[in-house]
Amino acid sequence: MREPRSAARTRPEYYRGAVIPGTSDGGGRGIVKPLPPEWFVPHDGNAEMRWDAPTGPGPHTPNERFFVRNHTRTPRIDPDTWRLRVHGSGLRGPDAVFSLADLHALPATTLDAVLECAGNGRRFWAEQQGTPAPGTAWGLGGVGMAAWHGVPLGVLLERAGLGPAAVDVLAVGLDPEYRVGGRNLGRVRRPLPLAKALEDVLVAYGMNGEPLPPDHGAPARLVVPGWVGVASVKWLGSLEVSDRPLESPWSTEFYRLFGPGQPADGGPALTRQSVKSAFELAPGAVLAAGRTHRLRGRSWSGAAAVRAVEVSTDGGRVWRTAELLDPPSRYGWRRWALDWRPAAPGRYGLRARATDLLGRTQGAEAPFNREGYLFDAVVVHPVEVV
Ligand SMILES: Nc1nc2c(c(=O)[nH]1)N[C@H]1C(S)=C(S)[C@@H](COP(=O)(O)O)O[C@H]1N2
Ligand SMILES: [Mo]
């Protein structure tokens, strides 16, 4: 297994918020909440969660520390005048319109789910595999887990008059239209197959026991558990229910795999997230030799609960089973810990790999794709023992 080139040198700088070549980091432009540098790494209007900042006693990521991924900027929406319109050929009758009070009056549920950007871990394509990918150079902090509270989308669609011929639901956000490369692609929107919509998707208006914060989609967003973050459309304005398959640039152009092993014109629109693990430790952390250190981290998978996590401190030769601190969770992550007593000073690359209940695991290399989505290889975490 190759060691990342000069990782110990570049990563600590990056985690202090340095500008990364190839991106134009703008200090969290367009995000409403404060982004203290000890909690976040800014990426040109997006904010990455730092894994070395303690995140409280439980498994949930506090709202004020949750990563933000915006195509444009966070809109401020008046919850009193906000309406969600449901329309389209897949409904039996006319449009249905819901106010926030209407949503509050519908049956609600709470679900622990990881929300993760498809591009999370993108910088490791360059650092570990020598194949840099364009786009936001996330470390592993384009992810968080919250207890999402809201109305099951299936319940809402039934109330709206879901018809038997419906196949797709297109969620449209109320944030500004997305302009890129001289084109206006319109509002952020992405179709969702009806089967998933009816399975476990939420129209969420609560996050970790609080109303949804502005940056995370207030007054209501989709939460599509286990799927790439872009499916979870924020600031919901409308839902088109269609009796024909729908598409948008977010399902045809972005968030698909292009490259070897894919059809010539690209793979299908991305759905499930891959398996990942992260240490709750600063990259390049300095640890004392001859002492016992409790290594902590979290692992998650979009397809099933995490079953086991193994850690290697010797370059991937010996793997030890980590202690799992949370019960299995279908869509949540599991925290883990493992004691390590490094005998000798030097530079080490810590490795963690998770396996989920479907047997999906993390290997030494992730299969290349042009846009650098779904990095699921073991990420080598540099530390220095002194
Ligand atoms: N309307 C809208 N929804 C959106 C986005 C956006 O820019 N606009 N970004 C998407 C992407 S790419 C991700 S990864 C998640 C991020 O959610 P968060 O900012 O609450 O962490 O929201 C998704 N939903
Ligand atoms: Mo994303």
Side-chain angles (χ1 to χ4, degrees):
M1 192 185 298
R2 261 173 297 165
E3 289 288 336
R5 277 175 295 272
S6 66
R9 196 158 35 78
T10 56
R11 287 187 206 184
E13 272 168 28
Y14 151 67
Y15 271 82
R16 283 201 300 269
V19 171
I20 299 154
T23 71
S24 50
D25 285 14
R29 251 185 318 106
I31 295 175
V32 169
K33 68 183 175 186
L35 301 171
E38 60 276 21
W39 290 356
F40 290 103
V41 182
H43 292 283
D44 192 22
N46 304 302
E48 173 173 355
M49 180 196 74
R50 287 179 56 146
W51 273 102
D52 59 327
T55 58
H60 301 103
T61 313
N63 294 355
E64 63 275 18
R65 300 198 184 197
F66 210 94
F67 87 101
V68 182
R69 160 63 172 125
N70 284 348
H71 280 74
T72 61
R73 53 196 311 117
T74 295
R76 302 307 296 257
I77 297 168
D78 175 7
D80 295 329
T81 54
W82 175 82
R83 297 290 182 272
L84 172 60
R85 188 169 77 97
V86 187
H87 65 103
S89 58
L91 293 186
R92 279 194 306 270
D95 297 7
V97 176
F98 298 87
S99 68
L100 191 56
D102 294 333
L103 292 191
H104 288 160
L106 289 173
T109 182
T110 304
L111 176 73
D112 278 358
V114 166
L115 181 74
E116 182 183 21
C117 188
N120 193 29
R122 184 179 277 125
R123 63 184 293 111
F124 303 112
W125 293 102
E127 290 190 6
Q128 288 196 186
Q129 304 196 177
T131 54
T136 303
W138 301 100
L140 282 176
V143 64
M145 186 184 80
W148 305 99
H149 183 74
V151 183
L153 180 55
V155 169
L156 185 108
L157 292 177
E158 285 302 333
R159 298 293 167 113
L162 182 65
V167 294
D168 265 359
V169 180
L170 182 84
V172 185
L174 291 170
D175 40 338
E177 294 176 330
Y178 180 54
R179 292 181 165 79
V180 67
R183 294 182 300 157
N184 182 352
L185 299 179
R187 294 198 191 273
V188 174
R189 63 198 185 283
R190 197 172 198 252
L192 187 65
L194 188 73
K196 179 68 174 171
L198 298 182
E199 191 183 330
D200 49 19
V201 175
L202 287 185
V203 177
Y205 50 77
M207 182 177 180
N208 293 326
E210 295 165 20
L212 207 56
D215 295 311
H216 299 292
R221 76 177 301 167
L222 286 191
V223 172
V224 182
W227 284 28
V228 287
V230 69
S232 294
V233 172
K234 302 194 275 189
W235 312 294
L236 261 190
S238 65
L239 294 168
E240 178 183 353
V241 185
S242 173
D243 62 5
R244 260 154 300 188
L246 296 173
E247 56 183 37
S248 85
W250 287 267
S251 68
T252 59
E253 199 173 324
F254 319 122
Y255 303 101
R256 293 170 66 205
L257 302 185
F258 294 89
Q262 302 298 331
D265 56 348
L270 289 180
T271 59
R272 288 193 309 192
Q273 269 291 3
S274 52
V275 186
K276 287 197 190 66
S277 302
F279 286 91
E280 295 174 51
L281 191 65
V286 177
L287 306 175
R291 297 248 188 91
T292 299
H293 301 277
R294 192 136 176 89
L295 302 176
R296 294 174 181 279
R298 301 179 188 205
S299 299
W300 60 97
S301 160
V306 167
R307 186 184 70 199
V309 179
E310 299 156 288
V311 172
S312 172
T313 55
D314 65 354
R317 278 168 290 275
V318 176
W319 293 87
R320 287 193 291 151
T321 303
E323 182 190 343
L324 293 165
L325 307 178
D326 296 307
S329 171
R330 172 69 180 86
Y331 291 120
W333 56 27
R334 291 182 91 176
R335 295 173 297 171
W336 44 261
L338 179 116
D339 288 337
W340 180 44
R341 191 182 166 90
R347 288 194 170 174
Y348 294 78
L350 304 180
R351 290 166 168 79
R353 76 172 174 220
T355 304
D356 71 16
L357 284 170
L358 292 176
R360 304 196 321 163
T361 188
Q362 302 182 255
E365 281 211 30
F368 172 85
N369 70 87
R370 201 182 64 195
E371 323 298 332
Y373 295 128
L374 304 183
F375 188 89
D376 65 351
V378 170
V379 171
V380 183
H381 189 111
V383 295
E384 202 176 337
V385 174
V386 294

